[in-house]
């Protein structure tokens, strides 16, 4: 068999150098062909007496990005087919056999009798790092930018090729569980400290250092295969074990609320596996992996957080035929809270920035924000001083609009006031080039109406960032009625250039994300008015999978902002458009008690100078009714908090605000942390089934009012048993 992914060179000392360099790919990934070739090489090395050992490295900048996840999608289809034709048992057997192949291959490498060294020349993740763990020694090229990790948990899986067992035999069980459950990508120095990498060497000495280990007599066995091996934390059934596993279980529950089957599986495989010899432990891991592959959570998370996100990042929604935009200079008008940070992320992407504000002082203040942010990175060792100076040199601060003359794109982030925006647009267009695209970061004003202020509305688009801009990965691109393809493509190219994930949303009050979020916050307010204890609202929200409770979230985004939006909605759409109970609560909090949220240290919570925030005791005064906590239906509260958001997402689809289901799902997880285990707002409905979802909505509508009324689209879907992904299958046909 001739290899296309690997090159094998044997030197005069009989050491094989295996270089992994998959053709036509920017990074190495594991797929069936890679496994087949590697298996052949392992056998060659094992069988050839002239080969003393092997060093495996990569011919690319990085070592390996992990497994090709489309492989799992194919496997899942095969499984369904075998179950249909030959029954459940045969299907499960197929899934087990196929999904344990990589684990068996690595075990064969580990026990082949020849020493293997991983020469890690760059980032290595997931199955790529599991390969390194199976090797008998790991040397890495020292590079502060390289990362290693087992991030499978982030897409609803866990390391299933021996990762859980080897990691748990290399470090204390508590540390191993943290590493596996967090799925963080860590720096090499940290990995060395954790002893999961043996040596860090300069890049040009990497292969030599790896070979030297073999020449110096490196043994072809890992510690757990040597007689007398002891687990770092002692046996599971020991004093140490008892100090670890019961509290770890409590931490696991606190962090996940048992919503993530893969996280639970990690707890289980480590606990069970550490009581067994390696070969049996690996079988336990493979069985759990097979089980997890079949969970709807894994399927939904892989789809949204890997497949869809990658597709959107690569421009799935980009209008075809528009040449790619390049950005030499981007103008930002309004160097305030948002504008300053937008300037920072733009400059970070290597693009020159002109930051404009009303006067030089305000513009300089905006620029100083970038210095603060990049200095934090320098202090954490994530950037160098030279990078800081280069970044600062890319930002020009000014009060002179003519500086915008040669910008390819201008984004305004001035006050949320129609008059100010209108003046800004007029002043900018007087100096802009005739091909430049103008974007607004407004959160509430319709893009279509703002575009009316611009002489060429086809070149006007919404680019809506979330705060804090430097951390939030989602950007909503708002297409006004007259926004042209070039403006849309430019906005998408810009978001790609700053390495964030875009979703394209048609113009609507609140666009997409804020519509869902406002419903979530409102539901928290209404539960409070019904008499549900505030602490219960907050805890139940986290049990349902939200990162923060609705009252905390309201404090973060500011109560006075919510109050202003409510008043504006009432003024524009009439009193029926707002909820009287919510209006009363916000008026009491904001107008009568000056509680604006975290920003003034008092909202639903108090924020003492030192110590954690606490629910404000004065809330008792505002809660006229109190329900008996023991009689409250927790499952219903959880469903209410998620379904008000999912219903809004479904309405966005029904109204054509969202035209691609992937965007509602990815947007809801990245934009407001919607229960990631569900795969997003629409996947939540698909997972439950539209029939059951609509039935529950009907019950909630009866008990709590019309905000739970399912849109016609959903009732129709329920009648037919449709899913969003079945009915609105995303793909090239819908892409543009
Ligand atoms: P901000 O008040 O912090 O900043 C506005 C800046 O615009 C100020 O520095 C002000 O001096 C400047 N400015 C006002 N008029 C100007 C003019 N004519 N020319 C130049 N500069 C001018 O406000 P912000 O929170 O950064 O919000 C800005 C925009 O971003 C608003 O449209 C808001 O709706 C939107 N937005 C805000 C958030 C958020 O979380 N704050 C999130 C998404 C979008």
């Amino acid at each position: 068999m001739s290899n296309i992914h690997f090159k094998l060179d044997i030197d005069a000392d009989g050491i094989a150098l295996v270089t992994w360099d998959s053709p036509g790919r920017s990074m190495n990934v594991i797929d069936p062909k890679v496994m087949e070739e590697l298996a052949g090489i392992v056998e060659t090395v094992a069988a050839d007496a002239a080969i003393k050992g092997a060093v495996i490295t990569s011919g690319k900048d990085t070592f390996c990005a992990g497994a090709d996840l489309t492989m799992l999608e194919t496997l899942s289809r095969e499984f369904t087919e075998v179950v249909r034709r030959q029954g459940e048992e045969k299907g499960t057997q197929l899934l087990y056999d196929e999904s344990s192949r990589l684990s068996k291959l690595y075990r064969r490498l580990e026990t082949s009798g020849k020493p293997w060294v991983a020469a890690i020349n760059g980032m290595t993740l997931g199955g790529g790092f599991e390969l390194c763990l199976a090797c008998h020694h790991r040397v890495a090229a020292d590079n502060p930018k390289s990362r290693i990790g087992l991030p499978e948990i982030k897409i609803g899986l866990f390391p299933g090729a021996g990762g859980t067992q080897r990691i748990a035999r290399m470090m204390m069980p508590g540390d191993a569980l943290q590493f596996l459950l967090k799925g963080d990508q860590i720096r090499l120095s940290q990995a060395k400290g954790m002893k999961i990498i043996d040596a860090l060497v300069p890049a040009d000495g990497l292969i030599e250092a790896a070979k030297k280990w073999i020449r110096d007599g490196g043994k072809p066995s890992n510690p757990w295969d040597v007689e007398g091996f002891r687990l770092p934390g002692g046996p599971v059934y020991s004093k140490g074990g008892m100090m670890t596993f019961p509290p770890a279980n409590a931490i696991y529950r606190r962090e996940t609320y048992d919503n993530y089957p893969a996280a639970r599986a990690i707890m289980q495989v480590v606990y069970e596996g550490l009581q067994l010899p390696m070969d049996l432990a690996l079988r336990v891991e493979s069985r759990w992996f097979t089980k997890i592959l079949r969970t709807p959570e894994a399927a939904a998370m892989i789809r949204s957080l890997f497949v869809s996100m990658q597709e959107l990042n690569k421009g799935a929604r980009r209008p075809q035929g528009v040449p790619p935009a390049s950005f030499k200079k981007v103008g930002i008008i309004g160097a305030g809270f948002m504008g300053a940070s937008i300037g920072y992320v733009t400059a970070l992407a290597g693009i020159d920035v002109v930051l404009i504000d009303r006067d030089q002082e305000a513009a300089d203040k905006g620029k100083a924000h970038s210095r603060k942010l990049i200095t934090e990175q320098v202090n954490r060792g994530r950037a160098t001083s030279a990078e800081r100076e280069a970044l600062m040199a890319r930002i020009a601060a000014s009060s002179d609009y003519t500086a915008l003359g040669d910008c390819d794109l201008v984004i305004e982030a001035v006050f949320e006031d129609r008059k100010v925006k209108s003046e800004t647009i007029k002043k900018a267009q007087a100096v802009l080039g005739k091909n430049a695209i103008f974007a607004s970061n407004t959160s509430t004003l319709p893009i279509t109406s703002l575009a009316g202020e611009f002489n060429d509305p086809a070149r006007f688009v919404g680019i809506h960032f979330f705060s804090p801009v430097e951390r939030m990965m989602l950007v909503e691109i708002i297409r006004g009625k007259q926004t042209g393809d070039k403006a849309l493509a430019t906005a998408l190219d810009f978001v790609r250039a700053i390495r964030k994930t875009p979703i394209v949303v048609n113009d609507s009050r609140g666009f997409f994300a804020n519509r869902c979020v406002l419903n979530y916050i409102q539901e928290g307010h209404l539960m409070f008015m019904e008499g549900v204890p505030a602490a219960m609202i907050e805890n139940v929200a986290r049990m349902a999978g939200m990162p923060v409770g609705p009252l905390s979230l309201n404090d973060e985004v500011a109560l006075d902002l919510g109050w202003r939006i409510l008043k504006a909605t009432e003024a524009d759409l009439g009193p029926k458009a707002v909820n009287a109970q919510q209006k009363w609560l916000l008026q009491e909090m904001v107008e009568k008690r000056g509680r604006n949220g975290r920003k003034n240290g008092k909202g639903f919570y108090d924020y003492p100078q030192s110590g954690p925030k606490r629910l404000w005791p004065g809330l008792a005064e505002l809660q006229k009714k109190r329900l008996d906590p023991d009689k409250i239906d927790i499952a219903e509260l959880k469903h209410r908090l998620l379904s008000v958001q999912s219903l809004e997402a479904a309405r966005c689809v029904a109204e054509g605000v969202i035209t691609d289901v992937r965007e509602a799902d990815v947007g809801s997880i990245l934009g407001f942390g919607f229960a990631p285990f569900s795969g997003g707002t629409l996947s939540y409905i698909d997972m439950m089934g539209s029939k059951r979802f609509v039935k529950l909505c009907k019950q909630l509508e009866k008990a709590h009012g019309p905000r739970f009324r399912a849109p016609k689209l959903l009732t129709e879907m329920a009648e037919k048993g449709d899913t969003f992904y079945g009915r609105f299958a995303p793909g090239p046909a819908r892409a543009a």
Side-chain angles (χ1 to χ4, degrees):
M1 182 186 74
S2 68
N3 293 327
I4 58 164
H5 294 283
F6 295 92
K7 201 158 82 87
L8 186 63
D9 298 297
I10 299 158
D11 70 9
D13 294 324
I15 299 175
L17 178 64
V18 182
T19 309
W20 185 0
D21 194 356
S22 295
R25 284 179 177 158
S26 58
M27 287 198 237
N28 293 322
V29 291
I30 300 158
D31 67 12
K33 184 80 178 88
V34 166
M35 283 195 256
E36 194 186 319
E37 283 187 21
L38 184 57
I41 290 170
V42 170
E43 294 314 329
T44 304
V45 170
D48 190 338
I51 301 180
K52 305 267 177 316
V55 170
I56 184 162
T57 192
S58 142
K60 305 198 185 291
D61 294 344
T62 52
F63 186 86
C64 171
D68 176 0
L69 287 178
T70 53
M71 183 168 78
L72 294 181
E73 286 195 321
T74 315
L75 185 56
S76 157
R77 269 197 303 277
E78 280 172 16
F79 163 74
T80 314
E81 190 49 31
V82 173
V83 170
R84 195 180 61 78
R85 280 190 284 111
Q86 295 169 281
E88 183 87 16
E89 209 176 312
K90 284 269 186 309
T92 308
Q93 188 63 47
L94 168 98
L95 208 55
Y96 175 81
D97 291 343
E98 287 303 311
S99 64
S100 58
R101 263 180 74 194
L102 193 61
S103 178
K104 286 180 185 146
L105 164 59
Y106 290 171
R107 183 62 178 153
R108 171 68 188 131
L109 177 151
E110 186 175 46
T111 56
S112 64
K114 294 282 169 73
W116 277 78
V117 181
I120 306 168
N121 58 309
M123 179 190 80
T124 180
L125 300 175
F129 186 52
E130 287 181 290
L131 167 61
C132 303
L133 290 173
C135 288
H136 307 104
H137 192 68
R138 285 159 293 282
V139 193
D142 202 359
N143 177 352
K145 296 233 153 55
S146 284
R147 296 286 182 273
I148 59 129
L150 297 172
E152 288 87 343
I153 191 69
K154 302 211 161 153
I155 49 164
L157 294 175
F158 69 86
T164 64
Q165 298 310 309
R166 293 191 178 94
I167 284 288
R169 283 164 175 75
M170 294 169 97
M171 47 175 114
M172 297 293 280
D175 297 338
L177 285 173
Q178 266 213 23
F179 183 69
L180 296 165
L181 288 167
K182 281 190 165 169
D184 285 343
Q185 299 176 19
I186 60 170
R187 271 181 273 172
L188 296 176
S189 51
Q190 210 181 336
K192 169 110 193 311
M194 290 159 87
K195 300 202 173 89
I196 49 180
I197 279 187
D198 300 299
L200 286 180
V201 297
D204 56 5
L206 177 69
I207 304 301
E208 177 44 31
K211 286 186 170 179
K212 185 171 182 301
W213 187 81
I214 298 176
R215 278 201 307 271
D216 288 353
K219 295 271 176 304
S221 49
N222 268 324
W224 40 88
D225 289 320
V226 176
E227 188 120 351
F229 169 70
R230 284 170 193 273
L231 292 169
V236 169
Y237 281 99
S238 67
K239 227 167 154 186
M242 288 310 109
M243 302 274 280
T244 302
F245 286 98
N249 206 29
I251 295 169
Y252 151 77
R253 291 216 163 236
R254 185 191 68 196
E255 298 298 319
T256 67
Y257 290 94
D258 215 14
N259 282 324
Y260 294 83
R264 191 192 181 95
I266 287 174
M267 299 296 297
Q268 205 107 19
V269 286
V270 169
Y271 184 76
E272 290 174 14
L274 287 185
Q275 298 175 57
L276 298 167
M278 196 59 166
D279 286 301
L280 271 179
L282 290 173
R283 272 173 64 187
V284 168
E285 183 192 74
S286 292
R287 291 202 168 164
W288 275 99
F289 192 71
T290 310
K291 186 178 158 84
I292 293 306
L293 271 184
R294 294 184 58 185
T295 58
E297 288 86 350
M301 287 178 80
I302 291 173
R303 183 171 65 196
S304 293
L305 290 168
F306 187 81
V307 182
S308 298
M309 207 159 98
Q310 257 195 3
E311 288 167 354
L312 297 178
N313 286 341
K314 285 187 182 158
R317 296 297 316 284
R318 194 180 184 282
Q320 285 169 6
V322 183
S326 62
F327 302 95
K328 280 199 211 58
K329 202 190 253 188
V330 168
I332 319 277
I333 316 178
F337 179 65
M338 295 299 284
S341 293
I342 299 170
Y344 169 72
V345 296
T346 308
L348 203 59
I351 302 169
D352 284 345
V353 173
V354 184
L355 203 51
I356 303 275
D357 210 297
R358 289 177 295 181
D359 51 51
Q360 189 64 41
E361 197 187 336
D364 287 342
K365 195 169 155 223
K367 179 171 172 175
H369 184 63
S370 283
R371 183 170 287 281
K372 182 176 156 260
L373 292 176
I374 188 76
T375 301
E376 281 167 15
Q377 296 302 312
V378 174
N379 292 344
R380 286 191 193 137
R382 293 188 186 150
T384 62
S385 308
E387 283 166 342
R388 170 173 55 198
E389 294 322 310
L391 177 124
M392 293 311 293
R394 283 194 285 275
I395 307 176
S398 173
S399 60
D400 179 6
Y401 274 59
T402 56
L404 297 172
D406 56 348
C407 287
D408 313 291
L409 167 72
V410 170
I411 304 168
E412 73 76 16
V414 298
F415 298 141
E416 189 73 341
D417 176 313
R418 186 175 280 282
K419 247 178 71 195
V420 179
K421 299 256 190 226
S422 158
E423 276 166 25
T424 306
I425 294 168
K426 294 228 154 61
K427 271 171 82 180
Q429 78 184 2
V431 298
L432 279 187
K434 64 177 185 347
N435 290 321
I437 301 300
F438 192 94
S440 172
N441 180 47
T442 177
S443 11
T444 55
L445 302 168
I447 288 299
T448 307
S449 72
L450 284 180
E453 312 277 349
F454 197 68
N455 53 9
D456 181 6
R459 287 193 282 131
F460 198 103
V461 65
I463 303 185
H464 183 225
F465 285 87
F466 294 83
S467 124
V469 177
E470 55 283 2
R471 281 220 309 273
M472 297 296 287
M473 293 314 292
L474 185 73
V475 178
E476 278 181 324
I477 294 179
I478 320 298
R479 188 171 199 164
K481 283 216 166 64
Q482 291 169 282
T483 302
D485 277 358
K486 176 156 184 266
L488 183 61
T490 303
L492 283 162
D493 292 346
F494 173 66
V495 173
R496 185 175 189 171
I498 59 170
R499 293 186 277 280
K500 297 200 182 278
T501 298
I503 62 169
V504 178
V505 178
N506 283 325
D507 208 1
S508 117
R509 182 178 280 268
F511 312 131
F512 166 69
N514 285 348
R515 276 178 68 163
C516 300
V517 170
L518 288 176
N519 272 11
Y520 173 59
I521 292 176
Q522 173 179 272
E523 206 53 34
H525 291 164
L526 298 181
M527 285 175 179
F528 178 80
M529 295 304 289
E530 281 162 30
V532 180
M536 193 178 229
I537 299 170
E538 297 288 87
N539 288 336
V540 168
R542 280 185 289 120
M543 284 165 70
M546 295 302 292
V548 286
L551 307 180
S552 289
L553 184 62
N554 200 183
D555 273 6
E556 295 299 328
V557 297
L559 270 69
D560 55 329
L561 177 69
W563 175 231
R564 273 206 309 278
I565 294 175
L566 188 142
K567 282 194 297 186
T569 310
E570 188 175 30
D572 289 355
L573 306 175
K576 281 207 180 124
V578 301
N579 184 296
Q581 297 271 331
Q582 187 186 29
K583 185 179 164 188
W584 181 86
L585 179 62
L586 281 178
Q587 193 163 19
E588 289 288 326
M589 292 288 282
V590 178
E591 293 220 323
K592 301 204 177 146
R593 292 171 172 79
R595 302 196 70 90
N596 292 344
R598 185 191 274 277
K599 68 179 183 186
N600 76 340
K602 37 188 198 168
F604 285 100
Y605 288 79
D606 277 330
Y607 298 84
Q609 289 280 324
S610 60
K613 64 182 187 183
R614 294 244 170 263
L615 276 163
W616 175 47
L619 285 175
E621 241 176 70
L622 295 179
Q623 203 169 34
K624 303 278 181 255
K625 275 187 283 181
R626 306 265 171 88
L627 296 175
D628 175 355
D630 290 333
K631 298 212 171 103
I632 295 174
D633 181 349
I634 301 286
E636 189 195 277
L637 292 188
K638 276 162 72 173
H639 183 60
R640 274 173 67 180
L641 288 167
L642 296 187
S643 66
V644 279
Q645 302 178 70
S646 287
L647 270 169
E648 198 61 26
R651 286 184 200 112
C652 285
V653 174
E655 293 164 19
V657 172
I658 287 284
T659 54
D660 187 316
V661 288
R662 290 174 293 190
E663 297 185 306
D665 275 344
V666 172
S668 59
I669 299 178
L670 295 191
F672 47 99
F674 183 87
F677 66 85
S678 70
T681 40
L682 297 180
S683 284
Y684 177 73
I685 301 178
D686 276 4
M687 198 186 274
M688 186 182 291
S690 49
K691 246 191 189 87
R692 200 170 139 228
F693 183 82
V694 168
K695 193 171 160 216
L696 277 166
C697 286
K698 282 197 175 129
Q699 289 164 7
L700 291 175
E701 186 185 346
K702 218 162 137 198
H704 302 284
R707 66 182 183 281
F708 287 103
R709 187 169 304 148
K712 196 161 153 272
L713 168 70
L714 257 183
T715 50
E716 220 179 274
M717 284 173 62
E719 276 158 26
K720 296 187 182 149
D722 277 356
T723 59
F724 278 99
Y725 281 83
R727 190 172 169 128
F728 302 104
R734 299 177 54 80

